[in-house]
């Protein structure tokens, strides 16, 4: 997912910035997934696993940083 999103990064963004954002996004997502049992996340972890809609929103939010506005 991250490689696909990074591949769609704005063309004016340097490879270095894309790599940094990808690293931040991956570690942020791993941290959130490791803590899904916290009530602050709305209890997306149930007896059947993670709520698919919650996972979708996590992906959308995290990858948005890869495609976000480029700062000079």
């Amino acid at each position: 997912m991250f490689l696909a999103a990074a591949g769609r990064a704005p063309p004016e963004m340097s490879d270095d910035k894309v790599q940094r954002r990808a690293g931040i996004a991956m570690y942020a997502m791993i941290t959130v997934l490791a803590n899904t049992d916290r009530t602050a996340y709305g209890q997306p972890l149930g007896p059947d696993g993670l709520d698919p809609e919650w996972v979708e929103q996590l992906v959308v939010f995290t990858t948005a940083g890869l495609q976000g506005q480029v700062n000079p």
Side-chain angles (χ1 to χ4, degrees):
M1 275 187 271
F2 289 108
L3 293 177
R8 293 189 305 269
E12 65 275 10
M13 189 183 302
S14 70
D15 288 344
D16 185 49
K17 285 185 179 183
V18 172
Q19 289 174 349
R20 286 181 183 178
R21 288 182 183 202
I24 292 168
M26 284 187 276
Y27 286 114
M29 185 176 276
I30 289 169
T31 300
V32 169
L33 288 171
N35 291 290
T36 55
D37 58 338
R38 295 189 178 193
T39 56
Y41 290 119
Q43 299 176 326
L45 182 60
D48 296 329
L50 286 171
D51 174 13
E53 176 59 25
W54 184 87
V55 173
E56 175 71 18
Q57 292 308 307
L58 176 61
V59 171
V60 169
F61 180 82
T62 306
T63 57
L66 291 169
Q67 300 173 338
Q69 182 179 357
V70 179
N71 294 325

